[in-house]
Amino acid sequence: MLEIKRLGVLTGGGDAPGLNAVNRAVVKSASNAGLEVLGIQDSFDGLIEPGRTRVLRPKDVTGILRLGGTILGTTNRGNPFAYPMSTSDGNADYSTRVVETFHTLGLNALVVIGGDGTLAIAHAFSKRGVPLVGVPKTIDNDIVGTVSCFGFDTAVNFATDAIDRLHSTAEAHHRVMVVEVMGRCAGWIALYAGVAGGADVILIPEIPFDLNNVAARLRQREAWGARFSIVVVAEGAAPIGGKVSLIARGDQTTAERLGGLSASCARELEKLTGKETRHVVLGHLQRGGTPTSHDRDLATRFGGKAIECIMAGEFDVMVASQPPDIVTVPLELVVGKQKRVPRDFDLIRTARAMGISFGD
Ligand code: F6P
């Protein structure tokens, strides 16, 4: 079996609360087991350019458990297999350099903490002979093979708190408030925060909507004497037969940027109902701040399991939560897929039974 003396850890993709808890668990567990850990800056970029790594010892990760962001830095633009260059030559493949740097640094294994994009890159490097373990990270909760990811609980708690606050101002002004949450092509944040926050309407990407149905629901509430309403929209939701709302298109190295749905919904709903309507985009606030205790625990378990895998020589896998256990799933079963909300999910059925509209 491969002798492991030195491993690298990197964080890739959008940040999520709990990344530092994983960094800490990786460094502490590995160091206590006699392994040296190199922190790699800014995802795989840190293996393309020299001088972007540093040795991390337990004292370097003391006190970071409750910090949002990542002490390693991250990027959701870098793909070493299609790296954007500032020359007219266009994109270049830097993957060979990454593999060479991995060996030059004397690394025997990598812990790659990231979302679907980063994990896909990790799997490609695994196929090129780099022994590595993936750790799933995303507030969107859309990674297959794991019931949950750290960051999701913190994002849902933040969004729920925001909806609570919007309730009081909506009620005072007899307004409709439209709240836009993140989640890309999955409606997990909207669904969980919407139900927890007592929303009247929840629009998610998995269920195309018709604003006439939403307006009918709002009028119905008015008829009951409920003079305010809360509409939660996932950034990736779309009208029946329509398209998602984009801020910017994606390309080979950059994901498309979703956004703007709450503004158009608010405009349209105001016309359809005659009710004064405002919109709020929670945006990156959902990714910031201190992780919840749930996310700290999950992140710590993932970090600890990743080191167990490395010491056991188990590679090309992702650690995953399948309660009550933390297990491993082959990366090839994870990459290129998305975990979306099933239309018959119990929380959707219950929400419908309670009168929450999904606009369909
Ligand atoms: O994947 C996490 C996420 O926050 C999505 O919910 C959102 O669509 C996207 O990242 C935003 O990315 P950026 O930070 O590049 O704007």
Side-chain angles (χ1 to χ4, degrees):
M1 198 164 62
L2 186 68
E3 199 195 351
I4 308 287
K5 288 189 178 147
R6 196 174 217 212
L7 60 95
V9 56
L10 62 84
T11 52
D15 66 329
L19 280 172
N20 279 325
V22 186
N23 292 334
R24 174 177 172 269
V26 163
V27 171
K28 290 199 170 189
S29 327
S31 302
N32 291 339
L35 311 181
E36 186 173 59
V37 182
L38 272 197
I40 298 164
Q41 278 174 21
D42 301 335
S43 191
F44 287 99
D45 284 14
L47 291 175
I48 293 174
E49 292 167 329
R52 294 183 70 176
T53 59
R54 67 183 191 275
V55 175
L56 292 176
R57 300 190 179 84
K59 74 171 174 43
D60 300 311
V61 292
T62 294
I64 67 169
L65 177 61
R66 62 191 166 277
L67 297 185
T70 165
I71 59 163
L72 297 175
T74 188
T75 173
N76 55 5
R77 296 180 68 88
N79 178 353
F81 292 89
Y83 203 74
M85 289 182 62
S86 54
T87 73
S88 55
D89 295 345
N91 295 346
D93 183 339
Y94 276 79
S95 55
T96 302
R97 193 188 290 183
V98 167
V99 178
E100 280 167 9
T101 310
F102 172 83
H103 292 300
T104 311
L105 290 169
L107 292 170
N108 310 118
L110 274 187
V111 177
V112 177
I113 311 166
D116 54 355
T118 307
L119 293 174
I121 295 169
H123 182 51
F125 279 120
S126 205
K127 287 201 245 169
R128 298 272 294 269
V130 177
L132 58 84
V133 175
V135 174
K137 159 269 17 160
T138 172
I139 64 164
D140 305 334
N141 201 33
D142 60 353
I143 297 180
V144 300
T146 185
V147 170
S148 56
C149 287
F150 61 87
F152 173 63
D153 186 64
T154 308
V156 167
N157 272 289
F158 173 80
T160 304
D161 180 54
I163 296 166
D164 285 350
R165 288 164 190 263
L166 291 168
H167 257 105
S168 47
T169 168
E171 191 164 11
H173 282 266
H174 320 300
R175 281 174 174 162
V176 175
M177 298 294 308
V178 182
V179 192
E180 182 172 319
V181 299
M182 283 184 164
R184 287 199 309 176
C185 305
W188 298 106
I189 298 177
L191 179 63
Y192 274 83
V195 170
D200 307 294
V201 177
I202 302 173
L203 304 181
I204 61 174
E206 293 83 350
I207 305 177
F209 62 84
D210 179 341
L211 279 183
N212 290 303
N213 296 334
V214 175
R217 173 76 183 113
L218 302 185
R219 279 192 222 101
Q220 195 183 41
R221 277 180 56 78
E222 192 77 9
W224 290 347
R227 299 188 56 204
F228 71 98
S229 291
I230 302 286
V231 177
V232 173
V233 305
E235 61 180 1
I240 296 167
K243 291 194 173 139
V244 292
S245 189
L246 285 186
I247 294 175
R249 290 185 193 288
D251 59 26
Q252 206 185 356
T253 54
T254 316
E256 64 186 11
R257 290 183 60 205
L258 295 164
L261 182 62
S262 57
S264 57
C265 280
R267 263 195 316 273
E268 204 51 35
L269 287 172
E270 190 163 87
K271 276 191 220 147
L272 289 169
T273 63
K275 293 270 308 169
E276 200 176 22
T277 304
R278 297 283 191 270
H279 76 278
V280 180
V281 181
L282 299 186
H284 291 82
L285 292 168
Q286 293 159 97
R287 294 216 314 237
T290 188
T292 59
S293 55
H294 173 275
D295 282 340
R296 296 180 202 190
D297 287 334
L298 185 59
T300 300
R301 294 174 79 192
F302 280 173
K305 182 72 176 178
I307 297 307
E308 283 178 10
C309 291
I310 286 177
M311 288 173 57
E314 188 182 2
F315 297 115
D316 201 16
V317 292
M318 177 187 84
V319 301
S321 171
Q322 289 177 13
D325 300 314
I326 300 296
V327 300
T328 55
V329 181
L331 273 173
E332 68 177 352
L333 300 183
V334 172
V335 301
K337 298 180 186 153
Q338 258 181 352
K339 185 181 72 183
R340 305 185 80 201
V341 182
R343 285 181 72 120
D344 64 347
F345 189 52
D346 76 279
L347 196 51
I348 291 187
R349 293 201 315 272
T350 300
R352 286 191 195 279
M354 292 170 63
I356 297 174
S357 166
F358 287 85
D360 55 340

